Amino acid sequence: MSTNGLLVPYYEHPSVRPAEWEAILAAAPRLYGVVLNPASGPGDRPDPAFAEIAARLRARDVRVLGYADTDYARRPVAAVIRDLVRHHDWYGADGAFLDQVTSGPHGFDHYRRLASAAWGAGIRTLALNHGVAPHPSYARIADVLVTFEGTWDTYRTERPHPWRSPGTRLCHLVYGVPADADPETEARTRGAALHCAVPGTGDHPWGTLPHAVTVG
């Protein structure tokens, strides 16, 4: 696995968790990217604290991916693109992390239109969070496919999916991970170039840092 194999979704405000954000910045050489999520999306107005964090990440050559919910293709393309444009204009986001993405072939045309609009809006890196292994067609439009999101216990017991996609990075997001675990090796074994493994559980696991990123 490459040295920059961490894709970190950290959904806490910089003014509330400044030490944790400093730890993420310090881990820049190991980061593929960071998902920026001020308010389940970009919010209604620019947030200066997130703008500062985003600028510091970009200065360290870390991709900034703006979060947008697609609600399994139920959310209109225009609404998602509005979020991505705000991320780009307000925070300089050079990528997009689209959440709640369909995995079956029936949704592919919707996401193909969405990807085309995102590229037109200046998005260079597109990550799709399916949470499960999707139909291979999605690899045609994405730089990153999140093919697992779930608990460590489920991750360890689930058989590795044989599907691979040359040119597209696979990512696994795992929560409830014990401190003595080796999630990087598990991800590599399952064919994922990117991963994030956090100790958090419950409804908000992405309010905790990955074990690979330590606070001060």
Side-chain angles (χ1 to χ4, degrees):
M1 185 174 293
S2 64
T3 55
N4 58 339
L6 288 173
L7 175 59
V8 179
Y10 186 61
Y11 301 158
E12 292 290 338
H13 198 278
S15 65
V16 177
R17 296 284 187 269
E20 285 79 358
W21 276 105
E22 291 298 330
I24 291 172
L25 287 159
R30 289 176 284 156
L31 300 177
Y32 172 84
V34 173
V35 181
L36 210 68
N37 189 12
S40 296
D44 295 327
R45 60 185 62 84
D47 185 313
F50 275 104
E52 179 187 359
I53 284 292
R56 293 176 66 190
L57 287 167
R58 296 197 314 275
R60 300 189 188 198
D61 295 324
V62 177
R63 293 175 183 83
V64 176
L65 308 181
Y67 175 96
D69 183 13
T70 70
D71 194 22
Y72 299 107
R74 289 187 290 263
R75 194 164 178 234
V77 168
V80 176
I81 295 302
R82 181 187 62 217
D83 282 356
L84 300 186
V85 168
R86 287 177 173 178
H87 277 300
H88 186 271
D89 291 349
W90 296 348
Y91 307 116
D94 47 15
F97 182 89
L98 303 186
D99 200 12
Q100 299 199 107
V101 176
T102 59
S103 58
H106 61 280
F108 175 70
D109 284 344
H110 175 85
Y111 287 96
R112 181 170 54 187
R113 292 193 299 272
L114 185 49
S116 179
W119 296 327
I123 297 302
R124 295 197 299 269
T125 301
L126 184 61
L128 304 181
N129 184 13
H130 307 274
V132 298
H135 188 271
S137 59
Y138 289 90
R140 290 159 45 193
I141 59 172
D143 301 285
V144 176
L145 298 177
V146 179
T147 59
F148 179 89
E149 182 177 1
T151 68
W152 175 250
D153 289 342
T154 300
Y155 192 51
R156 290 294 306 279
T157 57
E158 187 175 86
R159 294 181 61 185
H161 197 279
W163 180 63
R164 299 289 186 272
S165 175
T168 300
R169 290 178 171 90
L170 304 186
C171 177
H172 295 163
L173 303 179
V174 192
Y175 49 88
V177 181
D180 60 351
D182 186 4
E184 183 175 358
T185 296
E186 292 288 344
R188 186 189 305 117
T189 299
R190 287 162 168 74
L194 306 175
H195 77 286
C196 187
V198 301
T201 58
D203 294 334
H204 185 46
W206 307 114
T208 56
L209 289 179
H211 290 298
V213 178
T214 57
V215 177

